[in-house]
């Protein structure tokens, strides 16, 4: 049986890179997509994944990705992982440029890539149904990594909350639109995940502020934890759809309710 193939965006670091590694470990063919060609080249050398350099906020880059995928083999799954946050400013004071960037990467990029890859997923399914493929999976998958910020608002979250709430709505509507097709639509909504870059981007490269967000938190989630969740959701039996998976560390009860210090039973 030929390997199934998955496309993972935001693959140059963090959750995306961890997801590429784990899919490869599970025997999948993988196309990792990101802007930074040097990071992608290193990931390809490490894992054997195929890679494609693209800025997902640029339609021409997404079109080129679509054409590359169509010419290079079937597509069984898409993981929309690219995203990010900027700032903790109030709605009143936040630079509108930060909001525009967050909408571009968290919402419009998801729409662009989904629109580009969905016809390829359908083509793979049609070929499987016609007996033209030996890699039949029974379903195709669109996984989108959002955030608990797309479900619970918090002070300082204005732009990021708005973008992730919009991404959540996009996923919900897409699932309604695809009802009747063998295509699973899955949303992964992580809480506190400690990665090397998320905090740095949010705080404009300020390493102290980025580190302070996790100070004293016993076992924040890792990129590998979210990768495990993504791969699990895709490898379940074809008739099982995990619509929404919220993943938080035990120390985090809500976006702003985080225990700092050892987790111990109360007296």
């Amino acid at each position: 049986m030929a390997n199934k193939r998955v496309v993972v965006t935001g693959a140059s670091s963090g959750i995306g890179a961890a997801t590429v590694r784990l899919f490869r470990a599970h025997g999948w063919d993988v196309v990792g997509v990101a802007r930074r060609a040097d990071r992608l080249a290193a990931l390809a050398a490490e894992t054997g994944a195929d890679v494609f350099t693209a800025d997902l906020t640029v339609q021409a880059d997404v079109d080129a990705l679509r054409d590359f995928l169509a010419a290079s083999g079937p597509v069984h799954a898409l993981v929309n992982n690219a995203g990010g946050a900027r700032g903790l400013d109030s709605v009143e004071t936040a630079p509108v440029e930060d909001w525009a960037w967050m909408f571009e990467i968290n919402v419009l990029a998801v729409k662009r890539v989904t629109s580009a890859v969905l016809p390829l997923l359908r083509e793979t399914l049609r070929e499987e149904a016609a007996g033209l493929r030996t890699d039949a999976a029974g379903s195709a998958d669109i996984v989108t990594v959002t955030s608990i910020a797309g479900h619970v608002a918090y002070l300082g979250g204005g732009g990021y909350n708005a973008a992730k709430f919009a991404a959540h709505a996009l996923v919900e509507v897409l699932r309604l639109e695809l009802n009747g097709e063998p295509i699973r639509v899955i949303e992964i909504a992580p809480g506190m995940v400690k990665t090397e870059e998320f905090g740095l981007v949010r705080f404009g490269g300020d390493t102290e502020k980025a580190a302070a967000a996790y100070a004293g938190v016993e076992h924040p989630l890792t990129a590998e934890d979210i990768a495990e969740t993504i791969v699990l959701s895709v490898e379940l039996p074809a008739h099982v759809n995990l619509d929404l998976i919220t993943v938080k560390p035990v120390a985090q009860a809500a976006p702003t309710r985080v225990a700092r210090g050892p987790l111990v039973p109360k007296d």
Side-chain angles (χ1 to χ4, degrees):
M1 179 179 289
N3 291 343
K4 293 180 287 185
R5 189 164 72 143
V6 58
V7 180
V8 180
T9 70
S12 61
S13 66
I15 293 170
T19 300
V20 169
R21 293 186 182 100
L22 190 58
F23 268 119
R24 287 295 294 146
H26 282 227
W28 286 66
D29 291 335
V30 181
V31 179
V33 182
R35 292 180 297 107
R36 293 176 291 186
D38 57 336
R39 294 284 192 95
L40 289 178
L43 185 65
E46 173 195 344
T47 65
D50 293 323
V51 295
F52 191 90
T53 304
D55 182 341
L56 302 182
T57 69
V58 176
Q59 186 62 47
D61 282 14
V62 176
D63 291 344
L65 170 63
R66 175 202 62 208
D67 294 344
F68 167 79
L69 294 171
S72 58
V75 180
H76 300 83
L78 166 65
V79 178
N80 287 309
N81 167 72
R86 281 187 180 173
L88 283 171
D89 301 292
S90 69
V91 172
E92 179 183 9
T93 63
V96 72
E97 294 81 7
D98 285 353
W99 282 48
W101 179 84
M102 285 187 278
F103 269 79
E104 280 283 355
I105 193 59
N106 292 293
V107 185
L108 299 184
V110 172
K111 184 269 185 285
R112 292 181 195 274
V113 177
T114 300
S115 293
V117 175
L118 182 52
L120 305 180
L121 295 171
R122 287 191 176 117
E123 181 61 23
T124 300
L125 289 168
R126 282 192 290 267
E127 290 180 357
E128 290 176 354
L132 301 176
R133 306 208 62 85
T134 60
D135 49 12
S139 68
D141 295 279
I142 299 174
V143 180
T144 301
V145 180
T146 61
S147 170
I148 59 171
H151 299 265
V152 181
Y154 57 88
L155 283 171
Y160 191 55
N161 282 143
K164 288 302 189 182
F165 265 80
H168 167 63
L170 183 159
V171 172
E172 291 275 281
V173 174
L174 181 64
R175 190 179 297 113
L176 296 174
E177 292 172 346
L178 298 184
N179 182 245
E181 299 186 61
I183 302 174
R184 299 186 294 194
V185 178
I186 299 163
E187 178 183 353
I188 312 290
M192 179 178 280
V193 184
K194 187 177 183 180
T195 63
E196 66 271 25
E197 291 194 354
F198 181 86
L200 289 176
V201 172
R202 181 161 219 170
F203 296 110
D206 189 319
T207 56
E208 290 188 3
K209 285 185 177 180
Y214 308 100
V217 178
E218 187 171 305
H219 300 304
L221 296 176
T222 66
E224 289 72 23
D225 294 327
I226 306 306
E228 290 273 5
T229 307
I230 292 168
V231 174
L232 168 66
S233 70
V234 172
E235 292 190 337
L236 286 170
H239 68 285
V240 179
N241 193 95
L242 298 181
D243 283 15
L244 170 62
I245 310 167
T246 302
V247 191
K248 303 194 299 290
V250 175
Q252 183 180 35
T256 56
R257 180 67 171 174
V258 179
R260 298 183 186 273
L263 301 178
V264 295
K266 293 181 179 179
D267 294 331

